[in-house]
Amino acid sequence: MSAEATNPATPGPMTPGAQRRRGRPRIDLRRLGRAALLGPTARDRLPDAIGHVAEAHRAHHPDADLDPLRRAYVLAESSHRGQMRKSGEPYITHPLAVTLILAELGAETTTLTASLLHDTVEDTEVTLDQVREEFGEEVRYLVDGVTKLEKVDYGAAAEPETFRKMLVATGSDVRVMSIKLADRLHNMRTLGVMRPEKQERIAKVTKDVLIPLAERLGVQALKTELEDLVFAILHPGEYAHTRELIVSNASRGDDPLAEVAEEVRAVLREAGLQAEVLIRPRHFVSVHRVSRKRGELRGADFGRLLVLVNEDADCYGVLGELHTCLTPVVSEFKDFIAVPKFNLYQSLHTAVARPDGQVVEVLIRTHQMHKVAEAGVIALGNPYAPPSEEPVDGERADPTRPGWLSRLLDWQEAAPDPDTFWSTLREDLAQDREITVFRPDGGTLGLPAGASCVDAAYAQYGEDAHACIGARVNGRLATLSTVLSDGDTVQLLMGQDPTSEPSREWLEHAHTPVARIAITRWLAAHPSPATPPEAPAATPRPSADGPAARPAAADVVVDQPGATVRLAGCCTPVPPDAVTGFSVRGGVVTVHRVACAAVARMKGAGRAEVDVRWGDTTECRVTLVAESFGRPHLLADLTEAIALEGVAIVSATVEPPSQQRVRHTYTLQLPDAAHLPALMRAMRNVPGVFDVSRAQHPATAP
Ligand code: MN
């Protein structure tokens, strides 16, 4: 059986003329949707009401058990009974139409069952528990996922929070979003009864959120119809103009698309290639786009040819014949079979030129590819597959949990409030092109076009990316601001210091919400008390207070001239650490790293912070801990490595080995703080040493 016979949602092999007169590619869906709307809903006519749904469902799933659909319909119909839509129709027409849309696209029985019930919990006495008891946990989960949050409880945040809830639910089961998209499509089809302001508001959310989601989930059939409905509401003038163009083109005598289609059929017949050649009229938005691009439209601009074949290999066979026997426009050739788009779409795209100069675009795909192109995850996702525990590498690794969805779920958790979530979601979805970069370990990262190394760092490491110190792009050292291209190999260099800090400047290069939110959050939690190290500073004065006192790289405190500065032994700050100070006895100010636990403790105790900043003296003292596997000569090798770096050892402690592991703690005097990373690297290179880090606690442990 061909896809044409099993999938009434796809344009059947009707004559080009008949299809073009209809003017809209999605006409079959709409016709059937209307049939469901008009269908009788009285109990004695029950089989008729659900009949269209059952028929469409059986066409895709011949063995489907229709009993859950009947039961769901009975419950939905009886509980919605008496409720009317704004249009005056019985409410049940809505869930029926939504379910029919999904059935047409090939959704499986559980989705359809939940779709019939999708508004019951929100609008009727039916409870989620009842849904679970009668239809099982999966149906309950789906119904819950699409149920709106109460405006009374959430106020203005109700809509953003509802979407957030829906996205989270979609992360575990993509069918939630399938139902939501079909629900929105039917609501958009019947939006005419609403006040114009409300129509516009709903159309805008549809444009910003639902349409990009439909595209990313590959549900082309829903996406194109939603686009046209939004177009008609938001740009009525241009919509009317486009309609005129389409109508007047259809009334023209000649049809270049039909002529080329005939030619193509002949060529393929000759070559012995079995294929269906169809004409796909462009939807309104597509015609509008083409007319903006090309100015005046010619007949061939109003549609494209679609060549459907049985086997993948036949696609290339067809391509070869077209390129040999017709005049190909090679610049239009794209291979989305070898290099599929992020949303599962696969096809060959090419174009052929007619003798009169008109260019006809041709799409070549198998029936299976066509089904996926139209219905996306609704047709493809295996909803019963357990959610993958592994992080998603490629965009195609798991069609039901694509990479972009994982990223979206990552940052939504960190979004501090509904407004930020809502505006960031729209922004994220507006970034429609994606790139794939490779990690040295062979994994991949999917990022929006324009993403930088900062974005890659946060995509890979989450908040641990705060410790990123640089990157290699295609083997070369690169700054974190480097914008990545599709196919780049990116190795992120991570600092070993767990208290490393992101730079405010990173925000300028952060393109993705996950990076921006993480950096902004960190900066908000760490208001910087220190100005940059290049700030001019007064001469530091040594303190007489204790062994840590020394000619410090820290400034004399701006608002306390002459104060003695002591770098805290607990966190041994060095430039350019962000630092803060506290006055202690005797006019001494101790300087801590802002991330030091002592800072939190003192602030918690109500101690006032003192503004401090680094001076231009770069000599510094630091305490390093080297974790190693015990072996002979380790101490000698380590101290030699330190000495070779020109660093003086102030003190050293070696703890007794435990389980073959030894910890050496060195307090060191560096001539230049900037030398610290090189020193730590040199120490790490000593055989047996597996980690070198800055001390978090007093060098002499209590
Ligand atoms: Mn609904």
Side-chain angles (χ1 to χ4, degrees):
M1 206 182 322
S2 82
E4 297 309 327
T6 57
N7 186 354
T10 59
M14 59 174 91
T15 66
Q19 204 184 23
R20 292 171 68 72
R21 270 193 300 283
R22 293 182 169 193
R24 296 285 309 275
R26 299 268 53 82
I27 207 85
D28 308 58
L29 253 185
R30 306 196 69 175
R31 180 171 52 79
L32 286 160
R34 212 167 293 126
L37 283 172
L38 299 172
T41 53
R43 279 190 76 82
D44 57 327
R45 305 290 299 275
L46 169 71
D48 282 357
I50 196 82
H52 291 298
V53 171
E55 201 182 305
H57 188 38
R58 274 275 164 88
H60 287 277
H61 304 272
D63 303 328
D65 175 11
L66 298 178
D67 185 54
L69 296 185
R70 288 184 209 285
R71 287 190 291 117
Y73 173 77
V74 169
L75 178 60
E77 195 279 328
S78 63
S79 55
H80 284 300
R81 199 177 301 156
Q83 294 176 347
M84 296 292 163
R85 300 203 85 212
K86 256 225 161 72
S87 59
E89 288 160 318
Y91 196 89
I92 189 66
T93 57
H94 167 66
L96 261 182
V98 172
T99 308
L100 185 63
I101 289 168
L102 290 165
E104 297 290 351
L105 289 170
E108 43 63 70
T109 314
T110 308
T111 309
L112 302 185
T113 307
S115 162
L116 283 167
L117 298 167
H118 83 266
D119 277 334
T120 53
V121 171
E122 192 174 319
D123 295 337
T124 78
E125 301 295 309
V126 175
T127 64
L128 285 171
D129 283 344
Q130 189 183 344
V131 171
R132 188 200 343 247
E133 271 160 38
E134 294 186 28
F135 299 96
E137 172 55 27
E138 278 182 48
V139 174
R140 187 210 66 86
Y141 183 87
L142 297 178
V143 171
D144 184 30
V146 291
T147 296
K148 286 193 203 113
L149 295 169
E150 288 279 353
K151 193 140 193 178
V152 264
D153 297 332
Y154 288 85
E159 188 172 34
E161 288 298 316
T162 298
F163 269 96
R164 195 202 293 241
K165 169 179 167 238
M166 219 174 284
L167 282 170
V168 172
T170 300
S172 308
D173 194 329
V174 77
R175 293 175 294 180
V176 169
M177 196 50 73
S178 306
I179 296 171
K180 181 61 195 175
L181 288 170
D183 174 57
R184 180 56 63 108
L185 177 57
H186 184 245
N187 284 334
M188 288 292 299
R189 281 178 187 169
T190 52
L191 206 56
V193 293
M194 302 280 184
R195 292 190 318 275
E197 314 87 75
K198 194 159 185 195
Q199 288 189 28
E200 227 171 89
R201 199 187 63 76
I202 294 175
K204 274 192 184 128
V205 173
T206 304
K207 172 171 157 273
D208 290 352
V209 180
L210 276 313
I211 289 175
L213 285 171
E215 165 150 42
R216 285 166 188 228
L217 293 170
V219 198
Q220 186 75 5
L222 299 191
K223 184 208 144 196
T224 49
E225 190 178 341
L226 283 172
E227 275 188 337
D228 277 358
L229 291 162
V230 165
F231 185 42
I233 291 169
L234 296 184
H235 307 280
E238 279 161 299
Y239 180 83
H241 175 66
T242 307
R243 170 186 283 275
E244 256 168 55
L245 289 176
I246 291 170
V247 168
S248 80
N249 178 65
S251 65
R252 248 180 257 165
D254 65 321
D255 185 349
L257 288 172
E259 287 165 23
V260 176
E262 249 334 297
E263 237 180 296
V264 170
R265 284 188 195 107
V267 163
L268 298 181
R269 228 183 354 253
E270 190 91 334
L273 279 162
Q274 245 196 358
E276 279 180 69
V277 181
L278 309 169
I279 292 175
R280 302 263 295 171
R282 291 180 185 274
H283 67 303
F284 278 46
V285 167
S286 177
V287 169
H288 177 66
R289 271 189 210 127
V290 176
S291 79
R292 295 260 303 245
K293 202 166 101 186
R294 299 193 193 152
E296 201 176 328
L297 294 183
R298 303 171 73 180
D301 295 328
F302 285 87
R304 297 193 275 200
L305 296 191
L306 173 63
V307 182
L308 292 174
V309 295
N310 294 320
E311 305 289 333
D312 287 18
D314 291 347
C315 294
Y316 295 97
V318 168
L319 183 78
E321 291 303 321
L322 296 190
H323 282 193
T324 310
C325 303
L326 301 168
T327 312
V329 182
V330 177
S331 61
E332 296 283 319
F333 174 66
K334 291 186 195 86
D335 185 345
F336 293 118
I337 295 177
V339 188
K341 293 213 242 183
F342 64 87
N343 63 0
L344 311 169
Y345 178 85
Q346 286 186 290
S347 266
L348 298 180
H349 288 199
T350 190
V352 294
R354 279 166 42 107
D356 65 358
Q358 294 201 51
V359 171
V360 176
E361 291 181 26
V362 186
L363 315 176
I364 307 163
R365 52 175 84 138
T366 64
H367 290 285
Q368 175 59 25
M369 291 174 193
H370 183 56
K371 191 172 166 182
V372 174
E374 290 289 298
V377 290
I378 296 179
L380 193 84
N382 174 3
Y384 302 109
S388 109
E389 295 296 326
E390 295 298 308
V392 176
D393 276 347
E395 294 300 314
R396 288 171 59 75
D398 174 5
T400 61
R401 179 74 188 263
W404 61 264
L405 181 56
S406 299
R407 286 203 304 284
L408 213 131
L409 293 171
D410 279 349
W411 67 254
Q412 70 79 24
E413 249 172 61
D417 56 77
D419 278 350
T420 309
F421 165 73
W422 197 223
S423 57
T424 316
L425 174 67
R426 289 164 175 233
E427 251 179 75
D428 189 48
L429 292 176
Q431 300 168 342
D432 55 353
R433 222 173 62 77
E434 301 232 335
I435 60 169
T436 302
V437 299
F438 297 91
R439 304 194 309 235
D441 63 4
T444 59
L445 287 174
L447 296 166
S452 67
C453 293
V454 173
D455 295 305
Y458 283 91
Q460 184 168 344
Y461 292 106
E463 301 218 330
D464 290 344
H466 293 333
C468 189
I469 51 176
R472 277 178 199 280
V473 178
N474 302 325
R476 294 225 173 91
L477 278 176
T479 62
L480 287 176
S481 62
T482 304
V483 173
L484 298 167
S485 303
D486 207 17
D488 278 348
T489 297
V490 183
Q491 179 188 2
L492 296 156
L493 308 174
M494 302 302 282
Q496 296 300 311
D497 184 350
T499 63
S500 291
E501 299 160 5
S503 149
R504 182 173 292 276
E505 190 193 308
W506 289 6
L507 270 184
E508 291 166 31
H509 310 294
H511 203 67
T512 52
V514 70
R516 276 211 310 278
I517 289 177
I519 298 167
T520 310
R521 225 160 56 139
W522 192 94
L523 290 171
H526 302 82
S528 168
T531 50
E534 60 270 29
T539 315
R541 286 204 337 187
S543 158
D545 188 3
R550 57 191 168 75
D555 188 357
V556 181
V557 173
V558 176
D559 56 349
Q560 293 184 23
T564 302
V565 173
R566 199 177 69 182
L567 295 180
C570 50
C571 58
T572 55
V574 290
D577 290 344
V579 286
T580 187
F582 293 92
S583 290
V584 294
R585 275 160 301 139
V588 175
V589 172
T590 56
V591 175
H592 296 258
R593 287 196 259 164
V594 291
C596 175
V599 171
R601 232 177 8 252
M602 286 193 275
K603 274 157 73 172
R607 296 276 294 275
E609 283 180 88
V610 177
D611 218 7
V612 294
R613 61 188 181 193
W614 294 109
D616 49 12
T617 311
T618 56
E619 186 178 272
C620 80
R621 180 177 292 194
V622 65
T623 301
L624 295 180
V625 178
E627 303 270 6
S628 323
F629 295 107
R631 65 169 175 83
H633 301 297
L634 179 65
L635 180 65
D637 290 348
L638 261 171
T639 52
E640 190 191 2
I642 293 166
L644 281 174
E645 293 295 317
V647 172
I649 298 173
V650 177
S651 70
T653 16
V654 178
E655 288 170 37
S658 95
Q659 297 182 335
Q660 303 292 311
R661 292 166 63 161
V662 213
R663 174 186 294 190
H664 295 214
T665 305
Y666 298 93
T667 298
L668 306 166
Q669 186 79 25
L670 276 74
D672 184 347
H675 193 62
L676 185 61
L679 169 69
M680 290 171 74
R681 244 187 334 265
M683 291 171 67
R684 249 178 243 126
N685 283 341
V686 172
V689 176
F690 57 84
D691 195 18
V692 175
S693 59
R694 301 261 300 276
Q696 295 304 297
H697 304 290
T700 47

